[in-house]
Amino acid sequence: MTTAPNIIPDFDSGNPDRTLAIICSKGNLDMAYPGLILANAALGEGITTHLFFTFWGFDMIIKSRMEHLQFSPAGNTALHMPGHDLHIPQAVAPMMTGMATKMLKQQIADIGIPEVPDFLDQIVAAGGHLWGCRLSADMNKLTKDDLRDDVEDIINASDFIEMTDGAQLLFI
Amino acid sequence: MPVIEIAGKQVHVNEEGFLTEYDEWDEDIAQVLAQQIDVSLTDEHWKVIRFLRADFATEGESATTRRVQTVGGIPVKEQFALFPKKPAKKMAYIAGLPKPKGCV
C-alpha cells in the first residue's frame, strides 16, 4: 500500500466576510421553514446570518403566535399524500387547515426538524441575528415586548438595507 | 481513495481528507486530525466526539449539530464554541466520520 501525501480539509476556504440576509415574509407553516433551514445551514458554514421578519413572516417571532403557525392546502396544487402522486383536494373544507397543519407538523417532526420556535432558538444559539420589521409592528399594533426576547430590534427598511450592505439576499 | 499516514497509522481518506473507514480511527488519530485544523481537544471536545462515534455506530450516519444537541445533550452554542465556524464538519472530521448528510 503506498501512502499518499497528507490531505487536510480546507475549513477556512471561502469568503470570511460572507453575509447572508434572509427576508421572511410568509407566515404559513410550510413557508416558515425554507428561511430557517437555510439560515441554519449558513450558520453551520460560518456565514454571518441575519433574518428579517416582515409582513406575514412577522408571526414567526410573535410570542403569542409563533407556536401556532398553520398550513393550508388551499391553492397549493403540488400537495400530495406522502409517497403518492395523488393530489389532495384543495377545496377548503371545514377543519381542513387544522388537519393539514397537524399532518405537516408530523411529517416535519418525523425527519427530526424542530418546530419553528425551537428552530429559532437553535439559530440564535448558532449566532444568527433576528430583526423585526417596523412597518409590520406598527400595522399589527405590536411592540418589541410582543416579540421573542432574542429579536435584536425592530428596524425599518432603510436600516435593513444599510445593515446588509454587501450581503447576499434571499426573499422568502 | 487515497491512503495517508496519520499518527503512524495508514488510513483511508476521501479527496477532502475525511476518514472513510470507521474502524481505522483511534484517539491518537483524532488528536492529530484536531491539531491539523487548529482545535485542541479538551474533555468537552471528547464528549462530542465520543457521542458522534457511538451515534454513527448505531445510525450509520454522522449526527448533525441538531442531533448532537437533542440526543447527545451538548447545546448548539457549545458546539460552536468548541468547533468554531463549522462545527458539524469539524467534529465529524475529528471523529473520523463523513460530513453529515442531513440538512438540519
Side-chain angles (χ1 to χ4, degrees):
Chain A
M1 204 155 51
T2 48
T3 307
N6 196 7
I7 309 169
I8 303 170
D10 186 4
F11 290 122
D12 296 321
S13 65
N15 173 5
D17 298 324
R18 187 172 169 192
T19 301
L20 177 66
I22 304 176
I23 301 169
C24 299
S25 74
K26 304 281 199 297
N28 285 10
L29 183 62
D30 54 327
M31 289 311 290
Y33 278 97
L36 299 179
I37 290 167
L38 291 169
N40 184 60
L43 289 161
E45 291 300 306
I47 296 165
T48 303
T49 304
H50 296 277
L51 288 155
F52 183 69
F53 297 90
T54 184
F55 268 77
W56 320 121
F58 214 56
D59 275 15
M60 290 166 72
I61 52 167
I62 297 173
K63 280 182 203 157
S64 60
R65 298 184 192 167
M66 61 188 186
E67 284 168 26
H68 311 289
L69 300 188
Q70 293 193 310
F71 169 60
S72 167
N76 182 2
T77 58
L79 189 67
H80 307 277
M81 290 300 285
H84 297 277
D85 292 331
L86 197 74
H87 283 99
I88 286 180
Q90 292 171 58
V92 189
M95 323 254 275
M96 193 66 176
T97 300
M99 273 168 51
T101 300
K102 206 173 156 196
M103 205 173 90
L104 182 63
K105 280 196 171 183
Q106 190 57 52
Q107 279 177 268
I108 289 168
D110 284 349
I111 54 168
I113 294 181
E115 296 221 9
V116 169
D118 195 7
F119 211 159
L120 284 167
D121 288 346
Q122 176 169 330
I123 284 167
V124 171
H129 304 280
L130 312 183
W131 305 96
C133 158
R134 164 59 48 205
L135 185 136
S136 307
D138 293 348
M139 210 171 71
N140 283 289
K141 305 195 190 315
L142 296 166
T143 67
K144 203 165 175 294
D145 291 343
D146 299 302
L147 307 182
R148 291 172 58 97
D149 298 335
D150 47 16
V151 171
E152 296 183 30
D153 208 351
I154 296 177
I155 60 173
N156 67 23
S158 312
D159 294 334
F160 177 78
I161 294 295
E162 205 172 31
M163 173 195 287
T164 55
D165 184 13
Q168 292 169 312
L169 285 179
L170 266 176
F171 182 87
I172 293 170
Chain B
M1 288 292 166
V3 176
I4 63 170
E5 196 179 295
I6 298 175
K9 291 151 197 143
Q10 296 206 318
V11 293
H12 291 78
V13 294
N14 69 9
E15 61 288 345
E16 286 184 272
F18 284 71
L19 265 68
T20 57
E21 300 300 322
Y22 183 86
D23 294 323
E24 288 180 350
W25 179 94
D26 63 26
E27 298 199 353
D28 295 337
I29 290 174
Q31 289 286 3
V32 177
L33 295 174
Q35 229 167 51
Q36 290 184 155
I37 59 165
D38 301 321
V39 173
S40 22
L41 296 179
T42 63
D43 290 350
E44 280 67 40
H45 291 89
W46 279 112
K47 223 174 107 189
V48 178
I49 293 163
R50 294 202 178 101
F51 167 72
L52 282 173
R53 293 287 301 176
D55 192 61
F56 188 91
T58 57
E59 302 299 314
E61 244 183 72
S62 298
T64 59
T65 50
R66 173 82 196 159
R67 191 169 166 85
V68 173
Q69 171 171 291
T70 53
V71 183
I74 300 134
V76 163
K77 197 167 184 172
E78 191 181 328
Q79 297 174 46
F80 271 83
L82 294 170
F83 305 93
K85 298 268 185 196
K86 301 186 183 184
K89 286 182 180 170
K90 287 185 177 175
M91 57 201 189
Y93 173 67
I94 297 169
L97 303 172
K99 287 189 273 194
K101 278 189 266 178
C103 280
V104 180

